[in-house]
C-alpha cells in the first residue's frame, strides 16, 4: 500500500477518534424556558452556576421570555416545531391545556418514588398544592411558587383618620365600611384618595371570597351566574360606580393609565389587594409606611385566590433524565431560598416560609405572617378556562364598562362557558377537579 495513502488513512482515523472523544465529553444540555419578573433572570443565573457545579456533565440552557402571552405562544410553537424545551413553568389552566395536547411527561413515578422528592413533598404547603397538578390520578406538574392575595394598607392614612389597622378578626362589612370612610374628595367632588384598589386584574379572582367560582368543584357545571357570584361582583361594581371608593381597573391600569400599585405607592389609595410580588415594588418607595393583612371574606366558607405557577416537563424535550434532576433542584431548598433573597414570591416549602429569610423581621410589612395565613384557604384558579373564558366570555367586561347589565352579562358569559364545557364533555376531556 502506498505509504502516503496509508498516512492519510491513519490521519483520518485519528481525526474521527478525536471527534468522537470530544462529543463524548460534551455536557448534556437541559433547556428551561420561563417567564415572570425580571428578578427571575438573576435567580436562575445563580441556579445555573450551582446546579452545573453540583451536576458535572450537565449544562443548563436558560430561555427567558418576559411576556407571559408571548411565552405561551412560544411554548406551543416549540412543541409543534420539534424544538420543545425540557422544562417550562406556567399557571394551573395551562396544565390541563398541555395535558390535552398530549405534551406533558408523566411525573407520577417522580412524585411518588423519587427519594429526593419524597423529602420535598412532605414540606410543600399548603398540602393540597401538589394535587393541582394531578389529572386522572396521575401527576403532570409540581408547584413552583405562589402568590396568595393580601391587603396592603397605608398605615399613615389609617392613623390620620383615627381608624384601627386591619386585623385577623376584621369582617367583610368592616372592610367595606373602612374603604368608604378613607375615600377623600376635594371641594369640587374630585376624588383625591381612594379607600381601596384591586390589583389582581381579573374579575373572577373575587369570586372565591364569596365561596363560588366560574365552574363547580368537579369542573362539570357552570355556576358563574349564581347568586353568590352576582353578590360579590355587584359589591365591587357598587364600590366603583355608586360609592366611588375604588377606581375601575381595566387590563391592569386605572383611567389615569397607572398600575394599581403605583396609585398606592403615591399615597392615593388606603388599601391595595394584590400578591406578595408587589412587596418588592412597594419597598422602592421608602417613605411609604405600609403593612399587610389577610383579605376578609364575604362568606365564612370563602377562599383566597392563590396566583400560583407549576413546573412541567415536556414529553417532546430532549433530556428527560436531566429535566428530573433539575426539577428536584428547583423544588428544593436552594432555589426556594434564592427566590426569598430577592423578595420575589412565596416559596412552596413550609420550612422556608416560616424562616427569617422569607418573613424578614425588621422589614416592611411588619405582619408578613399575613402571606402565610392567606394560604390556609386557597383557591388555585380555574384549570380549564383560559381559552373558553378569556377568548369568548366578554359580557362581564362590558358590564364593568357600563355597557351591559351585570346580571345579564353573567348569564351570557355562563352560556358561552357552558357551551365550551359541553364540547369538552363530548370529547371526553372533562374528568378533573376544579381547584
Amino acid at each position: 500500500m502506498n505509504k502516503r495513502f496509508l498516512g492519510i488513512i491513519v490521519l483520518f482515523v485519528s481525526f474521527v477518534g478525536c471527534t468522537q472523544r470530544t462529543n463524548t465529553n460534551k455536557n448534556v444540555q437541559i433547556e428551561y424556558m420561563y417567564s415572570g419578573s425580571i428578578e427571575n433572570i438573576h435567580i436562575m443565573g445563580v441556579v445555573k452556576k450551582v446546579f452545573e457545579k453540583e451536576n458535572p456533565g450537565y449544562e443548563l440552557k436558560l430561555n427567558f421570555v418576559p411576556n407571559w402571552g408571548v411565552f405561551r405562544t412560544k411554548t406551543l410553537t416549540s412543541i409543534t416545531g420539534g424544538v420543545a424545551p425540557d422544562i417550562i413553568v406556567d399557571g394551573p389552566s395551562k396544565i390541563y391545556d398541555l395535558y390535552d395536547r398530549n405534551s406533558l411527561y408523566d411525573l407520577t413515578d417522580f412524585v411518588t418514588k423519587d427519594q429526593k422528592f419524597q423529602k420535598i413533598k412532605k414540606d410543600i404547603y399548603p398540602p393540597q398544592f401538589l394535587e393541582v397538578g394531578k389529572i386522572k390520578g396521575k401527576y403532570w406538574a409540581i408547584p413552583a411558587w405562589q402568590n396568595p392575595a393580601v391587603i396592603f394598607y397605608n398605615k399613615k392614612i389609617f392613623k390620620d383618620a383615627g381608624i384601627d389597622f386591619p386585623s385577623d378578626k376584621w369582617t367583610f362589612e368592616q372592610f367595606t365600611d373602612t374603604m368608604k370612610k378613607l375615600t377623600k374628595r376635594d371641594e369640587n367632588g374630585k376624588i383625591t384618595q381612594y379607600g381601596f384598589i384591586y390589583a389582581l386584574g381579573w374579575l373572577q379572582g373575587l369570586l372565591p371570597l364569596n365561596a363560588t367560582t366560574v365552574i363547580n368543584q368537579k369542573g362539570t357545571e357552570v355556576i358563574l351566574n349564581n347568586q353568590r357570584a352576582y353578590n360579590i361582583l355587584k359589591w365591587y361594581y357598587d364600590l366603583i360606580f355608586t360609592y366611588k371608593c375604588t377606581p375601575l381597573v381595566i387590563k391592569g391600569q386605572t383611567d389615569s393609565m397607572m398600575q394599581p400599585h403605583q396609585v398606592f405607592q403615591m399615597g392615593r389609595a388606603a388599601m391595595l389587594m394584590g400578591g406578595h410580588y408587589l412587596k418588592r415594588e412597594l419597598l422602592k418607595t421608602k417613605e411609604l409606611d405600609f403593612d399587610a393583612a389577610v383579605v376578609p371574606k364575604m362568606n365564612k366558607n370563602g377562599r383566597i385566590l392563590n396566583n400560583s405557577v407549576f413546573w412541567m416537563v415536556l414529553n417532546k424535550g430532549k433530556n428527560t433524565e436531566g429535566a428530573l434532576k433539575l426539577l428536584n433542584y428547583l423544588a428544593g431548598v436552594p432555589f426556594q431560598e434564592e427566590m426569598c433573597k430577592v423578595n420575589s414570591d412565596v416559596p412552596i416549602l413550609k420550612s422556608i416560609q416560616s424562616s427569617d429569610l422569607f418573613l424578614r423581621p425588621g422589614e416592611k410589612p411588619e405582619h408578613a405572617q399575613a402571606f402565610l395565613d392567606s394560604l390556609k384557604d386557597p383557591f388555585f384558579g380555574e384549570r380549564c378556562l383560559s381559552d373558553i373564558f378569556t377568548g369568548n366570555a366578554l359580557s362581564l367586561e362590558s358590564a364593568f364598562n357600563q355597557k351591559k347589565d351585570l346580571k345579564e352579562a353573567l348569564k351570557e358569559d355562563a352560556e358561552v362557558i357552558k357551551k365550551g364545557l359541553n364540547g369538552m364533555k363530548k370529547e371526553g376531556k372533562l374528568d378533573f377537579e376544579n381547584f
Side-chain angles (χ1 to χ4, degrees):
M1 181 181 291
N2 186 293
K3 289 183 179 181
R4 184 181 175 188
F5 181 69
L6 181 62
I8 292 173
I9 293 175
V10 171
L11 183 63
F12 175 75
V13 171
S14 298
F15 174 76
V16 171
C18 181
T19 302
Q20 288 175 336
R21 285 193 296 273
T22 301
N23 287 341
T24 301
N25 293 331
K26 187 176 180 181
N27 288 340
V28 177
Q29 197 174 78
I30 307 166
E31 184 177 356
Y32 174 51
M33 191 166 81
Y34 62 111
S35 190
S37 68
I38 203 74
E39 280 75 19
N40 286 346
I41 296 177
H42 167 77
I43 295 170
M44 289 310 303
V46 174
V47 166
K48 176 179 169 65
K49 290 179 182 179
V50 179
F51 178 80
E52 290 179 349
K53 183 178 180 181
E54 294 182 0
N55 296 274
Y58 284 101
E59 176 192 353
L60 181 53
K61 179 183 177 182
L62 301 176
N63 188 350
F64 178 70
V65 184
N67 179 281
W68 278 107
V70 175
F71 169 83
R72 284 159 185 155
T73 299
K74 191 170 182 178
T75 298
L76 296 180
T77 56
S78 68
I79 291 171
T80 56
V83 289
D86 299 295
I87 297 183
I88 63 165
V89 62
D90 210 334
S93 65
K94 294 302 172 185
I95 300 172
Y96 197 87
D97 180 43
L98 292 173
Y99 167 83
D100 182 43
R101 295 171 186 269
N102 194 30
S103 298
L104 297 180
Y105 176 81
D106 184 355
L107 294 171
T108 306
D109 283 349
F110 175 80
V111 171
T112 58
K113 297 177 183 178
D114 184 273
Q115 291 184 353
K116 285 186 178 180
F117 191 74
Q118 299 317 296
K119 295 179 181 178
I120 294 171
K121 186 167 67 172
K122 293 176 183 177
D123 201 16
I124 292 176
Y125 188 83
Q128 62 268 51
F129 204 176
L130 186 60
E131 300 304 301
V132 180
K134 195 175 185 180
I135 301 173
K136 295 185 179 180
K138 294 185 177 182
Y139 292 94
W140 304 93
I142 65 169
W145 59 84
Q146 54 190 330
N147 266 293
V150 298
I151 295 294
F152 294 101
Y153 61 93
N154 185 312
K155 294 174 72 175
K156 183 179 184 302
I157 290 177
F158 273 77
K159 286 178 183 176
D160 290 348
I163 296 176
D164 292 339
F165 294 149
S167 71
D168 56 358
K169 295 180 181 179
W170 223 28
T171 66
F172 197 79
E173 290 71 25
Q174 287 174 311
F175 173 47
T176 306
D177 186 53
T178 299
M179 66 176 76
K180 292 176 184 177
K181 289 179 179 178
L182 292 177
T183 299
K184 288 185 176 181
R185 295 169 175 82
D186 62 18
E187 61 276 10
N188 297 316
K190 182 180 179 181
I191 296 172
T192 57
Q193 175 183 292
Y194 288 105
F196 170 72
I197 192 164
Y198 179 65
L200 295 180
W202 53 98
L203 294 168
Q204 58 267 42
L206 291 167
L207 301 181
L209 294 177
N210 201 24
T212 190
T213 52
V214 177
I215 56 177
N216 66 350
Q217 176 71 18
K218 293 183 178 180
T220 56
E221 182 184 351
V222 180
I223 56 175
L224 176 62
N225 59 335
N226 67 11
Q227 191 61 42
R228 287 182 182 177
Y230 174 77
N231 288 346
I232 186 70
L233 291 173
K234 183 66 165 60
W235 166 81
Y236 185 52
Y237 185 94
D238 286 344
L239 293 180
I240 298 169
F241 300 110
T242 303
Y243 303 109
K244 302 185 187 300
C245 55
T246 186
L248 175 63
V249 178
I250 299 176
K251 295 181 179 178
Q253 292 185 324
T254 65
D255 55 2
S256 59
M257 302 304 290
M258 295 177 65
Q259 295 181 43
H261 75 270
Q262 294 172 327
V263 177
F264 182 77
Q265 281 176 293
M266 294 174 64
R268 292 181 55 195
M271 293 180 282
L272 169 74
M273 183 173 170
H276 182 275
Y277 61 94
L278 290 175
K279 173 188 170 183
R280 183 177 58 246
E281 295 300 318
L282 300 182
L283 285 172
K284 292 177 182 178
T285 306
K286 294 182 179 179
E287 64 273 18
L288 179 63
D289 189 12
F290 70 94
D291 207 341
V294 175
V295 181
K297 301 167 190 169
M298 180 178 270
N299 185 297
K300 66 178 182 179
N301 296 317
R303 292 183 286 168
I304 295 173
L305 181 69
N306 187 341
N307 190 12
S308 51
V309 294
F310 297 76
W311 284 301
M312 292 164 262
V313 175
L314 299 182
N315 59 17
K316 295 183 181 178
K318 297 178 177 63
N319 187 359
T320 301
E321 182 181 345
L324 297 180
K325 278 183 177 291
L326 179 60
L327 205 55
N328 254 328
Y329 188 87
L330 292 173
V333 170
F335 174 85
Q336 299 291 315
E337 285 187 337
E338 202 60 42
M339 192 168 60
C340 291
K341 289 177 185 177
V342 296
N343 259 328
S344 182
D345 302 282
V346 179
I348 66 170
L349 303 180
K350 192 170 186 177
S351 58
I352 299 178
Q353 293 169 5
S354 58
S355 70
D356 285 351
L357 185 62
F358 174 71
L359 294 174
R360 294 175 175 253
E363 181 180 280
K364 294 176 283 190
E366 180 183 351
H367 295 95
Q369 181 65 33
F371 297 111
L372 306 185
D373 292 341
S374 298
L375 295 175
K376 293 176 182 177
D377 299 300
F379 177 72
F380 295 102
E382 316 280 353
R383 285 207 288 172
C384 75
L385 291 180
S386 57
D387 295 331
I388 296 174
F389 192 91
T390 59
N392 301 298
L394 302 175
S395 292
L396 188 56
E397 185 177 314
S398 295
F400 276 83
N401 282 318
Q402 294 187 294
K403 296 178 180 179
K404 191 166 287 191
D405 175 75
L406 181 57
K407 270 195 174 179
E408 191 61 32
L410 286 171
K411 183 179 178 181
E412 289 179 7
D413 281 352
E415 284 300 317
V416 171
I417 298 168
K418 184 178 180 180
K419 185 177 179 180
L421 290 182
N422 285 339
M424 294 178 72
K425 285 179 186 178
K426 288 180 181 179
E427 295 174 20
K429 298 177 181 177
L430 207 62
D431 37 3
F432 63 95
E433 290 205 33
N434 169 38
F435 287 93

